[in-house]
Amino acid sequence: MLQLTDEERAMASGARGGGSAMALRIVAEAARLMGARRLIPVASAHIDGALYHGDSGTLFAEKLVEGGARVAVRATLNVGSLAPAGCAAIRLAAHQRDMAARMMRAYEAMGCEPSWTCAPYQAGHRPAQGSDVAWGESNAVVFCNSVLGARTNRYGDFLDIACAIAGRAPDYGLHRAENRVAELLLDVGGLSKELRRSDVFYPVLGTFLGRAAGSTVVVIEGLQDCTTEDRLKALGAAAASAGGVGLFHVAGVTPEAPDLATALGHRPPKQRIVLTHREVQATLARLSTAGATNRIDAVAIGSPHLSLMEISELESLLGDRTLVRPLYANTGRHVLQPLEAQGRRKRLEAAGVIFVVDTCVVVTPILPEIEGAVLMTNSGKFAQYAPGNTGYAVTYGSLSECVESAVAGRLVREPRTWS
């Protein structure tokens, strides 16, 4: 049975105003539904609920503001439906645009940081290992748990802001140490070193992991000396969109897995999967829904949002060439600002790159409506969501293949020797 402290009961009764009372009651009811016995303090939040999906979300946020609600902890904002930092044009009807803008203003009025990125960890929001937080947005959640070692469940829209206002979260799931122990071992050590050190592999690995694991905690063996933060980002994003993964460990790499035995809690795994080249190829093929076609209408990269390092790689691959097909580079304002200061944004835009900032092409209508259109991407998350959200079929490829295809105006494949 859920037990509230005197302070929590006072908050629920209106001691900090009507907005805070509503937030605390929402968190407490969620705790009861999940069987939690108490609420725990959180150090920060990342809010996914400011993305407009309908008028009710805007009205909910404005109700909180009317009740005087303010976040009690640091709270960054995930992507919105508009792009106040400029860049790509958005095709929203007037009413939807107005309600989306009102929603974004309401969250800022509650004290949330206008970060507007799905990768807050790239914008300096990196909670300490072992700290409890309340994060929304699936890729941010899995990165926070896995790469940073902080503790959060997958908090959905509106529960995330309620936790931020209350400064509390239900004590269940991945907040508890016993639920963070790996039960599934995924062994990739038999794959070639070339494959394990290639960027294109990690969204494929994440897609396989998500489908195989669901929400089970996994430890991956065989990636020592192969990973970068951007690769782990891509792995987690694909795993969280293809399945319900909220936490994975990489033996010898991630903070709660100094070795395989520790990640497994010094117990044998309940299941062991050895990933083969054949399964990698099969998963790679499933990421492309466009079939056997050389058609490319647009290229989209940056889900999760591109880091400065990834932008630099894009620049290196593009060189002084121009694009025949538009390449939508989704990133955060924290990345765009230094690009503007260094004159790099202007050069990339002159070459045909379209920056999408504060939002992304899969959650708001930016891509033009084209019959039978094909989108090329290097993102496992885009590959998962683009067909349903944009109507574009997908062709998956490496960043290099994406750039070469955008330059050529048709699909360009590079030879792969993964055997």
Side-chain angles (χ1 to χ4, degrees), residues 318-392:
L318 182 57
D320 58 2
R321 297 177 295 173
T322 57
L323 304 174
V324 172
R325 294 287 182 266
L327 188 152
Y328 295 87
N330 299 262
T331 191
R333 53 178 63 184
H334 60 283
V335 168
L336 190 68
Q337 289 166 355
L339 292 178
E340 288 178 333
Q342 298 161 12
R344 296 162 67 188
R345 172 189 172 184
K346 185 177 181 180
R347 289 195 298 271
L348 284 165
E349 288 179 332
V353 174
I354 301 171
F355 282 102
V356 180
V357 181
D358 297 335
T359 187
C360 90
V361 298
V362 165
V363 300
T364 201
I366 291 173
L367 297 173
E369 294 181 305
I370 302 172
E371 183 69 26
V374 176
L375 178 73
M376 188 169 189
T377 186
N378 69 334
S379 162
K381 187 171 184 178
F382 272 167
Q384 185 76 19
Y385 292 138
N389 287 12
T390 70
Y392 280 54

Side-chain angles (χ1 to χ4, degrees), residues 20-59:
S20 294
M22 183 167 72
L24 194 283
R25 290 196 297 268
I26 290 170
V27 176
E29 184 59 27
R32 290 188 186 97
L33 291 171
M34 300 310 298
R37 295 185 176 182
R38 63 171 185 158
L39 305 182
I40 54 174
V42 292
S44 73
H46 180 63
I47 310 301
D48 190 36
L51 178 64
Y52 175 75
H53 292 297
D55 290 0
S56 60
T58 300
L59 299 176

Side-chain angles (χ1 to χ4, degrees), residues 164-185:
I165 294 166
R168 305 284 196 281
D171 182 21
Y172 81 102
L174 294 175
H175 288 293
R176 302 186 66 84
E178 64 269 22
N179 297 326
R180 298 178 67 86
V181 175
E183 296 184 342
L184 170 61
L185 168 59

Side-chain angles (χ1 to χ4, degrees), residues 171-337:
D171 182 21
Y172 81 102
L174 294 175
H175 288 293
R176 302 186 66 84
E178 64 269 22
N179 297 326
R180 298 178 67 86
V181 175
E183 296 184 342
L184 170 61
L185 168 59
L186 178 59
D187 188 347
V188 303
L191 303 176
S192 69
K193 199 78 167 182
E194 179 186 9
L195 173 57
R196 286 179 285 149
R197 287 182 171 170
S198 65
D199 291 341
V200 73
F201 170 60
Y202 285 82
V204 179
L205 175 60
T207 300
F208 179 88
L209 173 60
R211 290 174 174 167
S215 59
T216 302
V217 178
V218 178
V219 58
I220 305 171
E221 171 72 328
L223 291 181
Q224 296 88 338
D225 302 321
C226 295
T227 63
T228 65
E229 184 166 293
D230 282 326
R231 289 172 183 170
L232 293 174
K233 174 183 74 173
L235 164 61
S241 56
V245 175
L247 165 65
F248 66 86
H249 303 292
V250 179
V253 176
T254 54
E256 295 175 71
D259 52 52
L260 185 61
T262 302
L264 288 165
H266 302 280
R267 298 193 299 264
K270 292 184 178 179
Q271 183 182 5
R272 180 174 181 264
I273 297 174
V274 177
L275 188 59
T276 66
H277 285 93
R278 178 176 294 180
E279 289 165 326
V280 170
Q281 294 285 9
T283 305
L284 175 67
R286 284 195 294 267
L287 282 172
S288 296
T289 63
T293 179
N294 289 328
R295 177 175 175 175
I296 298 294
D297 295 283
V299 174
I301 60 176
S303 183
H305 275 170
L306 295 167
S307 66
L308 273 171
M309 185 172 295
E310 289 171 314
I311 295 283
S312 296
E313 185 177 358
L314 168 62
E315 289 174 306
S316 176
L317 290 167
L318 182 57
D320 58 2
R321 297 177 295 173
T322 57
L323 304 174
V324 172
R325 294 287 182 266
L327 188 152
Y328 295 87
N330 299 262
T331 191
R333 53 178 63 184
H334 60 283
V335 168
L336 190 68
Q337 289 166 355

